[in-house]
Amino acid sequence: MTFAEAFDPAATRRLAEQVQHASEGHIRAALGRDGRELMPLASVAALLSPAAAPLLEELALRAHRSTIERFGKTIALFAPLYLSNDCVCTCTYCGFSRGLNIRRRTLGPDEVVREASLLAGQGMRSILLVSSEHPKSVSVGYLTECVAAVKHIVSYVGLEVAALETSDYKACVEAGCDGIVLYQETYDPQLYPRYHTGGPKKNYTFRLGAPERAAAAGARHLGIGALLGLGDWRFEVLALVQHARYLAAHCWRSQVNVSVPRINPSAGGFVPQVPVSDAELAQIVCVLRLALPAAGIVLSTRERAVLRDGLVRLGITHMSAGSSTEPGGYTTPGEAGEQFHLEDRRSPAQVAARLAELGYEAVFKDWERLSDAPAARLQETVRA
Ligand code: SF4
């Protein structure tokens, strides 16, 4: 059974509504649970409730402890590298949406190499290639060419692009892609078509199944998430927890990371329907940590520097740094439209220095894919 078949949006919606009436007793019972056991979804919901907000300090302490036990005081840094902003889709919240009057650009592979080399010069060893959806200018052949080129420069290459078929993911993995990031945006199948009104991204179910297809193709890291601001955030976080647990159980060869990006201003002037406050975002990060103790939690430069510094202590394990959301934005800034506005403009070195002040170590390289030959030799050594 796929996650699309297993996921019950109506039951999740009911749970999200019930938490409006959670009591302090429910929350204390959820906080008192043994952290080594999987937290039931009803307890996760209780911790997301309005009644849990006054207990944020206690929640934060539990989340902090859980993170330190599992991950230590390290934060993996990565940089997004935008390949293209040419898009055939209409997504009402996005600055690259079809029909918006922005400067469109798709980088050639040589330009991608220049961008990646600049990032590598700043110490980055983990790059996420990001692109809009365009079957012609951002074809699978183009993506594999970009992945292979960047793989010569850094040790980790991820892809955040259109939802693909398993065979296309396989081609990307064979070219050197280590991980796939693909946010469902909203897990609410009724809300989804209101925000995705044109292009291939309209297909909710095809998108929902993409992380499983990526895992079947051999992607070692899966990044999933919900875009906060589109709908009821409690529903979205409950759905995200279910999705992450499903992937951890069924795609166990892959590490699962989760993310909860908030909508930022973009060229389309979209206004979030259900804004999420800083305190609510902190509550979400804490609950994700306790509900998903083994998952990486990713935080982007959408958030302000001071807030990012604070959230590090609660459960974040991966952060972007020194980012640009514009194709060519590192080497030739200003020549194309950006996807959305960024808040944290610090360089990777500044982010690393601040993490050190907070007692954390910035990790630029935490992944190296071995070819089959050394792995086979290692197996022989172990057997001997
Ligand atoms: S969210 Fe992605 S698919 Fe939708 S308009 Fe933006 S770039 Fe295109």
Side-chain angles (χ1 to χ4, degrees), residues 128 131 133 159-164 169 179-185 187 192 201 203-214 221-226 240 243 247 257-259:
L128 179 65
S131 180
E133 297 199 16
L159 271 180
E160 184 175 353
V161 299
L164 302 176
Y169 281 130
I180 298 293
V181 174
L182 192 124
Y183 301 153
Q184 186 61 25
E185 319 297 14
Y187 283 91
Y192 190 90
K201 196 170 171 179
N203 191 332
Y204 170 94
T205 311
F206 185 70
R207 191 168 185 85
L208 197 56
E212 285 155 76
R213 295 194 297 277
H221 294 82
L222 302 174
I224 58 172
L240 179 62
H243 196 184
L247 293 174
N257 292 339
V258 296
S259 184

Side-chain angles (χ1 to χ4, degrees), residues 36 45 57 107 143 180 186 217 222-223 244 248 333 374:
R36 288 167 299 185
E57 221 169 289
L107 302 183
L143 289 174
I180 298 293
T186 172
L222 302 174

Side-chain angles (χ1 to χ4, degrees), residues 87 89-91 93-94 96-98 132-133 185 201 339:
C87 197
C89 297
T90 309
C91 307
Y93 50 80
C94 179
F96 292 169
S97 193
R98 184 180 184 168
S132 51
E133 297 199 16
E185 319 297 14
K201 196 170 171 179
Q339 189 178 29

